[in-house]
Amino acid sequence: MAGVNDENKIVVVKGLMAAVNCPWRRGRAAVKSNPSTTSMKRNRAKRSNFAWHYKSKALFGKKQDDVGKLTGKPIKSISPLMEGDADEGASQMQMVLWNEGDAYDNDGQLQNDLQLIKKWHNLSLPPFGAACSSDKGARIKVRETLRLYQAIVRKLLQEEEAKSMSKENSIRRIDLLAGKILKDKGKYVNTGKQILGPVPGVEVGDEFHYRVELMIIGLHRPLQSGIDYLKVGKKIIATSIVASGGYANDVDSSDVLIYTGQGGNATGGDKQPEDQKLERGNLALKNSIEERNFVRVIRGFKDTKFSEFGDGRGKVVATYTYDGLYIVKKYWQDIGPHGKMVYKFELRRVPGQSDLSWKHVKSKKFKAREGRCVDDISEGKEVFPICAVNTIDNEKPPKFTYVTRMVFPDWYHSIPPRGCDCVNGCSDSEKCACAVRNGGEIPYNYNGAIVEAKPLVYECGPCCRCPPSCHNRVSQHGIKFQLEIFKTESRGWGVRSLSSIPSGSFICEYLGELLEDKEAEQRTGSDEYLFDIGQNYNDRALWDGLSTIMPDAALSASEVVEEGFTIDAAKYGNVGRFINHSCSPNLYAQNVLYDNDDKRIPHIMLFAAENIPPLQEMTYHYNYTIDESALAGCTDALFDVFHCAVIIESLLCDIGAFVAIVGAVFPSLHVFDSHADVFGKQRFLPNGGR
DNA sequence: GCTCTTTCATCAAA
DNA sequence: CTTTGATGAAAGAG
């Protein structure tokens, strides 16, 4: 973040910090100066996994006055989301685009271009902060909508997988069905007239897995066509393109994209390929050369992934990355592989936009890049080495003992769980004891994604008869992505991934020493690595059935905070101890039990709440039990994952008939392990081919 | 409005 | 694993 204010001096910055203007930090400062508050018992700088506890209070509108006193500020002054945290990219594009000091091009048309651009995009040189508030709202909306869409897709997939044993028909296109559900609910974003230039709430580097996602946020409307365009008067100009094909030989270095026009393909059985015509998308792109308007570019990669859970059949997974704005420079005719004429367009990326992380990660220089100071902080204990990168200063990561399991004290004795007796995979949700404990469903998709946030997830464990490959064993197998820790500008060390991470993926556990609350209390203040666990779900009946239908009612009834346990990752820990707090996080903490039946001591498993591009910092909400007011303001939009479950539940009722159709075939699987470079393998036809 | 056509999707069978 | 056919939703064009 750019500005570091004075508050920063008050708070001792250690490895795990919130951003300077994060509500939590404000709250903490306020509490310091106002020690006689009523909630001193909670004034501990500790993380907790039970955020919805506070959410329920916010919803019930209690204690608004107290809340104001606590922070010393009216609650409304606390901006709900996106208020300074790890998401540094917001609104970046608009800012930098107008930095006229940038060398735009060497054709000397900078001023000319800028004027045309201004004309089209009607952007009056927005200063740094002006557009931010509205833009942040748009960002939240886009992220919420996408999370909702992804959650619906996972839910539908879960139902498909659960019913795959029976003989009924499956839903063929889950992506389309999920889109239809969202549309019926009026959840589309940026509807109305088409947008030329940047789409509010969408940032360079955002990743998607379905074309439907591009449509529902207004980034690119056609579901199949690669060129979207709009009419201005009698003229059509291009607004966005999807580049899923090859031609990208010069990926590494240049910001030039050669794009092939549409049409001319032999689509049907008896049709012959034809010369492309200068109409529709092709015409729009050509017109955009004259108009010099921005064209959004979305790059698509296709890769075949294999799941470790399931029948071993691969599945093609597409990843679409928003690449930013380009300008069409020229076009010409060429001969395609089928011998007919095709149009080609040269597009150039507008300078000043965020770097494209996928380019970095794919480039060969990347492995030997600067700032690498520790090759593997886990010292070989993790499946992947976790390196430390510091391009800010000379600091090395703090010393601690890396562990891959919890460190238990002498007094601790685990309660062995009852396992399931499934020998042929835990797919029968009625017979599998673990599925029953999860409310009659396996909480994961076969691709290893968690379907929705739950109070507690029961994975199969050592007492189960199912094999380690059971798809109800996800988080117990450890990290699946190549992670690294890096020095941030203002929040100490942080964690990011070198590959793309799809929504719902397991990231890592929060490991450390298990402490009783009394002991944790003593360490509070000097220890920044405490995580409160196992709070507040003694009444399991409330969680299990009701939570997805009436979450707030259930939660308000179970607000009693018991004496619990805490994980201290100061001396012993894993990569999880480096993950920072954010009020608009991309991860969340999920309670999981598998090798122990003590609900007071669940594993704290961090999962991706949305698609996370490579090199984007990963964060979760610490849910500090320090200042409820800040949380009340901040958690509203935070619980989308949890909320998704509720909304899905109701949505599914509406389309019950649809969804009741069941699958006949064991669905194939997709995996989202690493993001392999598929450029070389891309099938390429002039029009993308069919 | 109503069809028809087009479309760098997607799935699953061959 | 690669290819191919069937299916599909949305929007422009007539």
Side-chain angles (χ1 to χ4, degrees), chain A residues 5 7 20-23 25-27 29-30 34 64-79 83 627 629-630:
Chain A
N5 61 23
E7 246 178 317
V20 282
N21 51 353
C22 171
R25 185 176 285 196
R26 288 190 199 170
N34 183 13
Q64 290 285 323
D65 291 340
D66 292 352
V67 152
K69 283 176 204 158
L70 260 180
T71 47
K73 292 182 180 186
I75 185 166
K76 278 177 189 167
S77 73
I78 297 168
S79 174
E83 171 121 8
D627 180 346
S629 63

Side-chain angles (χ1 to χ4, degrees), chain A residues 307-441:
Chain A
S307 169
E308 57 193 286
F309 315 101
D311 61 6
R313 282 187 61 169
K315 180 167 185 173
V316 175
V317 172
T319 302
Y320 301 98
T321 308
Y322 176 48
D323 224 9
L325 303 179
Y326 284 63
I327 286 184
V328 193
K329 278 289 160 186
K330 57 182 179 185
Y331 81 112
W332 64 93
Q333 299 182 348
D334 204 347
I335 302 296
H338 50 28
K340 298 291 179 181
M341 189 272 288
V342 296
Y343 285 100
K344 294 205 175 178
F345 300 89
E346 179 185 313
L347 290 92
R348 290 197 184 198
R349 191 159 189 260
V350 177
Q353 305 178 84
S354 314
D355 283 346
L356 298 168
S357 54
W358 58 268
K359 277 191 185 174
H360 287 291
V361 178
K362 284 174 195 293
S363 78
K364 288 173 184 170
K365 293 179 201 162
F366 184 70
K367 284 183 180 169
R369 69 197 199 284
E370 277 183 69
R372 185 157 166 164
C373 53
V374 179
D375 283 342
D376 183 6
I377 61 166
S378 84
E379 296 172 321
K381 289 166 190 158
E382 295 281 10
V383 185
F384 300 100
I386 299 172
C387 69
V389 175
N390 186 349
T391 55
I392 308 289
D393 52 35
N394 291 323
E395 190 192 322
K396 295 212 166 185
K399 287 203 169 140
F400 68 103
T401 305
Y402 201 100
V403 293
T404 53
R405 288 167 170 259
M406 285 292 294
V407 177
F408 293 111
D410 295 337
W411 49 261
Y412 171 79
H413 296 288
S414 77
I415 306 169
R418 293 154 302 178
C420 65
D421 295 322
C422 310
V423 285
N424 204 9
C426 297
S427 44
D428 192 333
S429 56
E430 286 173 16
K431 285 181 186 162
C432 174
C434 299
V436 170
R437 299 175 92 190
N438 284 309
E441 61 191 18

Side-chain angles (χ1 to χ4, degrees), chain A residues 352-664:
Chain A
Q353 305 178 84
S354 314
D355 283 346
L356 298 168
S357 54
W358 58 268
K359 277 191 185 174
H360 287 291
V361 178
K362 284 174 195 293
S363 78
K364 288 173 184 170
K365 293 179 201 162
F366 184 70
K367 284 183 180 169
R369 69 197 199 284
E370 277 183 69
R372 185 157 166 164
C373 53
V374 179
D375 283 342
D376 183 6
I377 61 166
S378 84
E379 296 172 321
K381 289 166 190 158
E382 295 281 10
V383 185
F384 300 100
I386 299 172
C387 69
V389 175
N390 186 349
T391 55
I392 308 289
D393 52 35
N394 291 323
E395 190 192 322
K396 295 212 166 185
K399 287 203 169 140
F400 68 103
T401 305
Y402 201 100
V403 293
T404 53
R405 288 167 170 259
M406 285 292 294
V407 177
F408 293 111
D410 295 337
W411 49 261
Y412 171 79
H413 296 288
S414 77
I415 306 169
R418 293 154 302 178
C420 65
D421 295 322
C422 310
V423 285
N424 204 9
C426 297
S427 44
D428 192 333
S429 56
E430 286 173 16
K431 285 181 186 162
C432 174
C434 299
V436 170
R437 299 175 92 190
N438 284 309
E441 61 191 18
I442 300 293
Y444 300 109
N445 290 141
Y446 287 0
N447 58 19
I450 191 163
V451 174
E452 60 190 283
K454 292 192 162 202
L456 180 60
V457 158
Y458 293 91
E459 291 193 4
C460 291
C463 299
C464 296
R465 296 183 64 192
C466 59
S469 61
C470 168
H471 81 286
N472 193 29
R473 301 168 184 262
V474 171
S475 62
Q476 59 190 268
H477 291 318
I479 61 174
K480 288 282 185 292
F481 298 97
Q482 196 172 356
L483 308 177
E484 70 175 18
I485 67 170
F486 70 105
K487 186 75 183 285
T488 65
E489 284 191 21
S490 59
R491 295 181 304 280
W493 294 86
V495 179
R496 62 192 180 190
S497 164
L498 298 185
S499 53
S500 299
I501 298 180
S503 180
S505 303
F506 171 66
I507 307 298
C508 70
E509 183 168 359
Y510 190 91
L511 289 170
E513 287 178 86
L514 183 70
L515 303 182
E516 280 182 293
D517 259 8
K518 289 178 208 162
E519 201 177 347
E521 206 71 50
Q522 290 168 6
R523 301 193 189 185
T524 300
S526 60
D527 189 338
E528 294 277 346
Y529 296 97
L530 298 173
F531 195 124
D532 274 350
I533 62 170
Q535 291 181 25
N536 194 28
Y537 62 116
N538 46 339
D539 195 340
R540 195 186 131 211
L542 286 170
W543 282 119
D544 272 354
L546 275 176
S547 59
T548 49
I549 303 159
M550 293 282 293
D552 296 317
L555 289 161
S556 63
S558 59
E559 276 178 13
V560 185
V561 177
E562 277 194 16
E563 199 69 2
F565 295 89
T566 298
I567 298 173
D568 182 2
K571 280 188 211 157
Y572 302 93
N574 69 342
V575 63
R577 75 201 287 281
F578 291 105
I579 301 178
N580 284 314
H581 163 87
S582 168
C583 285
S584 59
N586 48 18
L587 309 182
Y588 76 97
Q590 169 70 55
N591 294 312
V592 175
L593 283 182
Y594 61 92
D595 54 355
N596 164 26
D597 222 17
D598 191 341
K599 286 196 286 289
R600 298 172 305 162
I601 310 175
H603 292 275
I604 303 303
M605 302 298 193
L606 300 170
F607 284 84
E610 58 192 30
N611 295 334
I612 304 173
L615 301 186
Q616 183 178 99
E617 181 173 4
M618 293 190 279
T619 56
Y620 64 95
H621 199 288
Y622 285 2
N623 299 319
Y624 282 104
T625 51
I626 184 167
D627 180 346
E628 295 175 30
S629 63
L631 287 168
C634 162
T635 48
D636 261 352
L638 173 78
F639 282 15
D640 22 18
V641 171
F642 187 59
H643 255 238
C644 281
V646 185
I647 298 170
I648 291 165
E649 218 46 57
S650 58
L651 290 175
L652 289 184
C653 292
D654 290 0
I655 55 145
F658 240 119
V659 176
I661 307 167
V662 275

